[in-house]
């Protein structure tokens, strides 16, 4: 059996990788995927704590986060596609203005 500390360490590593992707990269798709990695890292921590304490609350929260992440993917990808069609780039430095 894998100890809970290993799962939490993996979760922290995934979160740091996702945060680094958000802070370093300029491509909107990469930033978007990095946010998803961060969400999944938090989900792993929730499941680990829920299993450690024997309570299903963490798993319920993970289910809710998965639903919100699915909606975020749909809306986020639609925004990125529209930005790409309008400006022919997905670089977040070039699309920092919210003008129509």
């Amino acid at each position: 059996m894998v100890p809970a500390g290993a799962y939490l360490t993996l979760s922290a590593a995934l979160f740091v990788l996702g945060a680094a992707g958000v802070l370093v990269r300029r491509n909107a798709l990469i930033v978007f995927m990095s946010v998803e990695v961060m969400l999944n890292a938090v989900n792993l921590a929730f499941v680990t704590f829920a299993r450690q304490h024997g309570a299903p609350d963490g798993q319920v929260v993970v289910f809710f986060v998965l639903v919100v992440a699915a909606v975020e993917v749909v809306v986020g990808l639609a925004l990125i596609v529209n930005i790409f069609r309008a400006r022919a780039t997905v670089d977040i430095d070039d699309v920092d203005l919210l003008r129509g």
Side-chain angles (χ1 to χ4, degrees):
M1 182 170 176
V2 180
Y7 288 117
L8 293 176
T9 302
L10 176 63
S11 173
L14 287 173
F15 192 85
V16 168
L17 284 174
V22 168
L23 295 175
V24 172
R25 300 299 299 256
R26 299 289 95 195
N27 188 327
L29 286 174
I30 301 297
V31 170
F32 197 65
M33 288 189 305
S34 298
V35 169
E36 294 297 323
V37 168
M38 291 169 61
L39 283 174
N40 284 322
V42 171
N43 285 341
L44 181 61
F46 272 134
V47 169
T48 301
F49 285 124
R51 184 170 183 216
Q52 190 174 15
H53 295 291
D57 299 344
Q59 294 172 1
V60 172
V61 171
V62 167
F63 181 72
F64 179 73
V65 169
L66 286 175
V67 170
V68 171
V71 172
E72 176 208 351
V73 166
V74 170
V75 173
L77 286 178
L79 287 173
I80 290 171
V81 166
N82 278 334
I83 289 170
F84 181 75
R85 286 181 180 168
R87 298 185 182 230
T89 184
V90 289
D91 189 89
I92 55 176
D93 288 334
D94 293 337
V95 292
D96 59 347
L97 299 176
L98 295 177
R99 287 187 276 172

